[in-house]
Amino acid sequence: MNIFRLTADLMHLASIFILLLKIQKTRSCAGISFKSQLLYALVFITRYIDLFFYWVSLYNTLMKIFFIGSSLYIVYLMQVKFRATNDPVLDTFRIEYLLAPCALLALVANYAFTAQEILWAFSVYLEAGAILPQLFMLQRRGEAETITTHYLFALGAYRGLYLLNWIYRYWAEGYVDWIAWIAGLVQTGLYTDFFYIYYTKVLKGQKFELPA
Amino acid sequence: ALGSPVKDEL
């Protein structure tokens, strides 16, 4: 564990708490893409299935349980409890165009042709693109509540910090993980536009609005 | 095939 990875994991945790806070406080999931949240639930389930047969540490296990549990809880909140506030009209990204290529890529580019490795690779590829429905929805709405932008910032920063963690681990331990590295770069890259507007608007006290 | 790195990250 190093400071980059710890901070990254804490940012990831924070992003989920911010999202839960947004939904509970406003009693609404307006502006949140259900499709992205569904994809995250799928990401966590396919990656952390090793929870049952691979022990790393108590920290690792508790985090895995939290990520699976909270993602399913958010799906429940959006689909059942606050269903009326969900706006599927704006959530129009075609996730099959994401799921199919990720599945195909996982079958071709993996560390071993075993169910566990294929599922792991799939989860890493899917995570890289899982934010796309959310960013697409943001684009269509043209604006976002400030708390939603904090959620997106924390979520984007998490993978960005992992890049620093990987540089550090390569230098300190000779650790190499090409699949996670390339997917992590893509994932962080998708946030560039968002980070720019977050920095120039939200951090200066303005509303998050996209140019018309 | 390349060996799989230790899966100790989240």
Side-chain angles (χ1 to χ4, degrees):
Chain A
M1 182 58 76
N2 59 65
I3 189 73
F4 304 113
R5 180 143 62 113
L6 183 63
T7 316
D9 288 345
L10 293 180
M11 285 291 258
H12 199 183
L13 270 188
S15 76
I16 291 168
F17 283 118
I18 295 170
L19 178 59
L20 286 170
L21 196 70
K22 178 253 167 337
I23 297 175
Q24 303 283 10
K25 284 270 171 187
T26 63
R27 302 197 58 77
S28 160
C29 46
I32 304 297
S33 162
F34 176 71
K35 288 180 177 174
S36 277
Q37 297 306 319
L38 193 65
L39 293 179
Y40 284 124
L42 189 59
V43 164
F44 294 137
I45 291 167
T46 50
R47 186 174 319 162
Y48 300 154
I49 192 79
D50 69 359
L51 182 68
F52 298 104
F53 47 83
Y54 185 67
W55 175 264
V56 178
S57 63
L58 184 63
Y59 169 84
N60 187 276
T61 299
L62 291 178
M63 291 291 255
K64 285 173 175 172
I65 294 171
F66 175 81
F67 285 123
I68 293 176
S70 61
S71 66
L72 290 175
Y73 180 58
I74 289 165
V75 164
Y76 156 79
L77 287 180
M78 295 192 74
Q79 199 60 5
V80 182
K81 196 165 176 200
F82 296 114
R83 191 188 178 96
T85 63
N86 198 355
D87 38 6
V89 178
L90 290 172
D91 198 10
T92 49
F93 189 88
R94 300 286 297 265
I95 53 173
E96 53 272 38
Y97 294 145
L98 204 56
L99 288 165
C102 286
L104 208 63
L105 197 57
L107 287 171
V108 180
N110 52 58
Y111 286 123
F113 203 78
T114 62
Q116 193 202 343
E117 287 290 348
I118 292 168
L119 281 177
W120 179 86
F122 172 74
S123 84
V124 170
Y125 297 137
L126 187 61
E127 185 188 343
I131 198 61
L132 285 172
Q134 178 64 62
L135 293 176
F136 196 66
M137 188 177 185
L138 194 66
Q139 192 80 37
R140 290 200 63 184
R141 288 178 108 231
E143 58 168 36
E145 290 168 281
T146 303
I147 192 164
T148 303
T149 66
H150 293 328
Y151 159 68
L152 283 169
F153 173 76
L155 191 59
Y158 134 73
R159 218 45 172 174
L161 284 164
Y162 256 87
L163 298 179
L164 298 180
N165 155 61
W166 291 325
I167 293 170
Y168 176 81
R169 289 193 78 178
Y170 176 71
W171 170 77
E173 310 162 26
Y175 174 91
V176 176
D177 187 342
W178 285 108
I179 291 181
W181 288 0
I182 293 169
L185 259 178
V186 171
Q187 185 170 342
T188 308
L190 293 180
Y191 285 87
T192 358
D193 266 11
F194 169 81
F195 282 149
Y196 178 76
I197 303 171
Y198 183 79
Y199 177 74
T200 53
K201 295 224 167 160
V202 181
L203 289 187
K204 296 192 170 138
Q206 296 171 37
K207 188 177 164 60
F208 185 98
E209 273 176 321
L210 296 174
Chain B
L2 294 162
S4 170
V6 184
K7 293 197 180 353
D8 60 355
E9 294 188 342
L10 289 162

